[in-house]
Amino acid sequence: MKNTGSRLSMNQPKKLKEVDCDNCGLYRLCQIAGLDADESALDSVVERRKKIANADYLYRAGDRFSGVFAVKSGIFKSISYFDDGREQIIDFHLPGELIGLEAIDEGIYLQSVIALENSSVCDMDFAEMEKLEHKFIAFQGSVIHALSRKVRLDQYQSLLIGAQSAEQRLAIFLISIFSRLRAHDMQAHSFRMPMRKDIANYLGLALETVGRVLKRFEESKLIESKGRHLKICNYSEIQQRAGLIQYDAVTKVA
Amino acid sequence: MKNTGSRLSMNQPKKLKEVDCDNCGLYRLCQIAGLDADESALDSVVERRKKIANADYLYRAGDRFSGVFAVKSGIFKSISYFDDGREQIIDFHLPGELIGLEAIDEGIYLQSVIALENSSVCDMDFAEMEKLEHKFIAFQGSVIHALSRKVRLDQYQSLLIGAQSAEQRLAIFLISIFSRLRAHDMQAHSFRMPMRKDIANYLGLALETVGRVLKRFEESKLIESKGRHLKICNYSEIQQRAGLIQYDAVTKVA
DNA sequence: GATAAAACTTGATAAATGACAATTTTTAAA
DNA sequence: TTTAAAAATTGTCATTTATCAAGTTTTATC
């Protein structure tokens, strides 16, 4: 492949982008706990901006549940294993999103979570949180909304299963990633992608197939990619190829 | 195919099996609302055992959120649509399970839910529920657990994507259905299956493939099937073929 | 019970994607 | 900058599963 780099406007320095607290999944929880007002109360409940190095575990399947994490920067994958040792990526976790919600019910983390690049998280201790009784109703309300959001986003997984081609799967994947980024106000046109093998695993495709489809997308000017960086050029056409029906939160858009 | 019906012990009368309140997903919510103690308070919040006929809608994508439903008997599918009109089944809903959790966050149902046979539900009105302030913390706690459980179970979808063959997908499907039935104490060895086309849709396979695989499973004595009725004969072998790692709630079993 | 419709089965063929192997490019390390 | 390792690309070929078409069985209705 010819070096098309010079045509691209992607030569920004790689500065670490981080979600503001205002756009963080933990925001309402932090706010409720009075953490933005009272820095001293903060430390007992939320550990802020803990760094997780590339390829390190945030937690492992089987660990006892301690609390949920919010991604401040970077990207994580949560994985489960088949009994032949093959891993299956259950989800990617983008800045602003919460990790660990699946563990609240049974009190045990059922997936392992690994950083896909140098990343950072905030960590909210649920046991400590419960002690702040007077705030607890609001706290719970926020947890409910976070969970419901997660349930809602998980429907993309089912849509992937129904996709009729590799191309459609990739399109759905891109739509899902970028709509999620936008939800937390990250610059939602440009994104550092996971590795081919991780995308492939997540989508149930061979990594060669992922590469070929992305190349076709680039030839059709839907995206521009340089290295692991991907830029959306024609969102509506990608939406077209994803073939999803979009519902607005209030009105049925069709 | 020869009629193997006489070999099967499946000629019980088709009496409507219904989950007890004790094993219902709404149970803790009902209990909290004091509904089992005080029948009069009940009516304002929970509509009990509303019948939904086969193929009728419980709600439609785009409807405003009113509350969650618990399946008392029967089975439902929730669906989303591709823009070519093709439907994608997001989930099946078995007795004891809750429907509508994805709508709490944005206040709008994002999927359409249809009964796959004559069914019944209880319906909990969230707006009414919020008025019972003194019970509200416990109520929210239960909602959180229900949601977390849902998030946890949704990981089966991802595992389906990773399955390497149609056979593995079917095995995972059977494991997921029967472990979910067992969670609500239904007789978890025998089950009235959805139609081939619905299973196929859910699993991302052609309905012919689903039929062929189930036939092979029957030849290998993993299951017995008569009409839409399916009986598990060799659970551990199915588990084997599903290839999933099982985690216990407390100890890592492997 | 008879009839029609729906659901399911079965077989043949085609096509998309997986698997393999060899290069090339990118990234990381020295 | 050089070097080594990791990741991504490219081409070929094999295989699973989708698709199509025809038949059979089951289910529902009169």
Side-chain angles (χ1 to χ4, degrees):
Chain A
M1 180 173 133
K2 283 157 269 162
N3 179 4
T4 57
S6 53
R7 285 197 288 104
L8 300 177
S9 50
M10 285 185 174
N11 25 21
Q12 317 104 359
K14 288 177 193 168
K15 84 160 199 266
L16 186 73
K17 269 179 279 183
E18 195 173 68
V19 277
D20 304 327
C21 282
D22 284 0
N23 287 307
C24 168
L26 273 180
Y27 173 59
R28 287 203 294 186
L29 280 62
C30 282
Q31 203 182 30
I32 286 154
L35 302 177
D36 45 359
D38 179 0
E39 284 282 330
S40 64
L42 184 154
D43 297 327
S44 67
V45 180
V46 178
E47 183 176 353
R48 297 228 264 187
R49 290 184 174 69
K50 184 176 168 184
K51 290 193 192 324
I52 312 289
N54 180 32
D56 275 2
Y57 282 83
L58 181 58
Y59 56 73
R60 287 166 196 267
D63 288 353
R64 189 170 300 277
F65 174 69
S66 56
V68 299
F69 301 86
V71 181
K72 296 310 277 187
S73 64
I75 180 171
F76 292 81
K77 64 177 174 184
S78 53
I79 59 178
S80 196
Y81 293 94
F82 288 99
D83 62 0
D84 59 4
R86 241 174 3 107
E87 79 176 36
Q88 174 60 44
I89 298 181
I90 306 299
D91 208 355
F92 294 111
H93 304 279
L94 310 177
E97 298 188 329
L98 298 182
I99 302 178
L101 298 172
E102 82 286 354
I104 297 172
D105 185 36
E106 297 204 330
I108 189 171
Y109 295 111
L110 293 167
Q111 300 159 9
S112 297
V113 176
I114 298 175
L116 293 178
E117 56 189 61
N118 292 329
S119 305
S120 62
V121 299
C122 288
D123 170 357
M124 173 159 286
D125 184 325
F126 262 46
E128 287 298 324
M129 192 61 228
E130 289 191 17
K131 294 178 187 164
L132 301 172
E133 278 196 21
H134 58 297
K135 309 272 194 178
F136 203 54
I137 287 190
F139 169 73
Q140 284 189 324
S142 296
V143 173
I144 287 172
H145 278 274
L147 278 160
S148 179
R149 174 169 193 274
K150 168 77 174 148
V151 169
R152 176 164 51 81
L153 291 173
D154 279 351
Q155 83 171 295
Y156 278 116
Q157 293 289 102
S158 305
L159 294 171
L160 282 177
I161 288 183
Q164 286 169 317
S165 65
E167 197 169 279
Q168 194 174 9
R169 283 199 183 178
L170 258 304
I172 291 172
F173 173 67
L174 293 177
I175 293 299
S176 116
I177 289 288
F178 282 90
S179 65
R180 284 159 59 186
L181 283 176
R182 202 168 35 198
H184 290 108
D185 229 40
M186 303 299 283
Q187 290 89 328
H189 52 282
S190 177
F191 175 60
R192 188 161 188 277
M193 297 277 276
M195 288 192 305
R196 292 279 183 275
K197 82 168 192 311
D198 282 335
I199 300 173
N201 179 302
Y202 181 71
L203 298 178
L205 299 169
L207 64 88
E208 295 93 335
T209 304
V210 170
R212 286 186 245 256
V213 171
L214 286 176
K215 193 185 166 201
R216 266 185 273 149
F217 279 2
E218 189 159 21
E219 286 164 356
S220 315
K221 311 259 192 240
L222 304 186
I223 60 173
E224 284 176 5
S225 77
K226 171 142 179 54
R228 198 152 302 158
H229 230 85
L230 185 139
K231 184 180 158 193
I232 296 288
C233 300
N234 192 341
Y235 193 85
S236 65
E237 174 62 20
I238 293 172
Q239 221 163 15
Q240 204 81 30
R241 302 215 188 177
L244 302 180
I245 292 209
Q246 305 288 329
Y247 284 98
D248 191 275
V250 183
T251 8
K252 202 186 298 187
V253 172
Chain B
M1 179 174 133
K2 283 158 267 161
N3 178 5
T4 55
S6 54
R7 285 198 287 103
L8 301 177
S9 50
M10 286 188 173
N11 25 21
Q12 315 105 0
K14 286 180 194 166
K15 85 159 198 266
L16 186 74
K17 268 178 278 183
E18 197 173 66
V19 276
D20 304 327
C21 283
D22 284 359
N23 288 307
C24 168
L26 274 179
Y27 173 60
R28 286 203 295 186
L29 281 62
C30 282
Q31 204 182 30
I32 286 153
L35 302 178
D36 46 357
D38 180 359
E39 283 282 331
S40 63
L42 183 154
D43 297 326
S44 66
V45 181
V46 178
E47 183 176 352
R48 297 230 265 185
R49 292 185 173 68
K50 185 176 168 182
K51 290 195 192 322
I52 311 289
N54 181 31
D56 275 1
Y57 283 83
L58 182 59
Y59 56 73
R60 287 166 196 267
D63 289 354
R64 188 170 300 279
F65 174 69
S66 56
V68 299
F69 300 85
V71 181
K72 297 308 278 188
S73 65
I75 180 171
F76 292 81
K77 64 177 175 184
S78 52
I79 59 179
S80 198
Y81 293 94
F82 288 100
D83 62 1
D84 59 3
R86 237 171 9 103
E87 78 176 36
Q88 175 59 45
I89 298 181
I90 305 299
D91 207 354
F92 294 110
H93 304 279
L94 310 177
E97 298 187 328
L98 298 183
I99 302 178
L101 297 172
E102 82 285 355
I104 297 172
D105 185 37
E106 298 204 329
I108 190 171
Y109 295 110
L110 292 168
Q111 300 159 8
S112 296
V113 177
I114 298 175
L116 293 177
E117 55 189 62
N118 291 329
S119 305
S120 62
V121 298
C122 288
D123 170 356
M124 173 160 286
D125 183 326
F126 262 47
E128 287 297 324
M129 194 59 229
E130 290 191 16
K131 295 178 187 164
L132 301 173
E133 280 196 19
H134 58 297
K135 309 273 193 178
F136 204 52
I137 286 191
F139 169 73
Q140 284 188 323
S142 295
V143 173
I144 287 171
H145 278 272
L147 280 161
S148 179
R149 175 169 192 273
K150 168 76 174 148
V151 170
R152 176 164 51 81
L153 291 173
D154 279 352
Q155 83 171 294
Y156 278 115
Q157 294 289 101
S158 305
L159 294 171
L160 282 176
I161 288 183
Q164 286 169 317
S165 65
E167 196 167 279
Q168 194 175 8
R169 284 201 182 176
L170 257 302
I172 292 172
F173 173 67
L174 293 177
I175 293 299
S176 116
I177 290 288
F178 282 89
S179 65
R180 284 159 60 186
L181 283 176
R182 203 168 34 198
H184 293 289
D185 228 40
M186 303 296 284
Q187 292 88 328
H189 52 283
S190 177
F191 174 61
R192 187 161 187 279
M193 296 277 277
M195 289 192 303
R196 292 279 184 276
K197 81 167 190 320
D198 282 335
I199 300 172
N201 180 300
Y202 181 71
L203 298 178
L205 299 171
L207 63 88
E208 296 93 333
T209 305
V210 170
R212 287 187 245 257
V213 171
L214 286 177
K215 192 186 166 198
R216 266 184 273 148
F217 279 3
E218 189 160 21
E219 286 165 358
S220 315
K221 310 257 191 244
L222 304 185
I223 60 173
E224 284 176 5
S225 76
K226 169 139 178 57
R228 198 152 301 156
H229 231 87
L230 185 139
K231 185 180 156 190
I232 295 289
C233 300
N234 192 341
Y235 193 85
S236 65
E237 174 61 21
I238 293 172
Q239 221 162 16
Q240 204 81 29
R241 302 215 188 176
L244 303 179
I245 291 210
Q246 304 290 328
Y247 285 99
D248 192 274
V250 183
T251 8
K252 205 185 299 187
V253 170

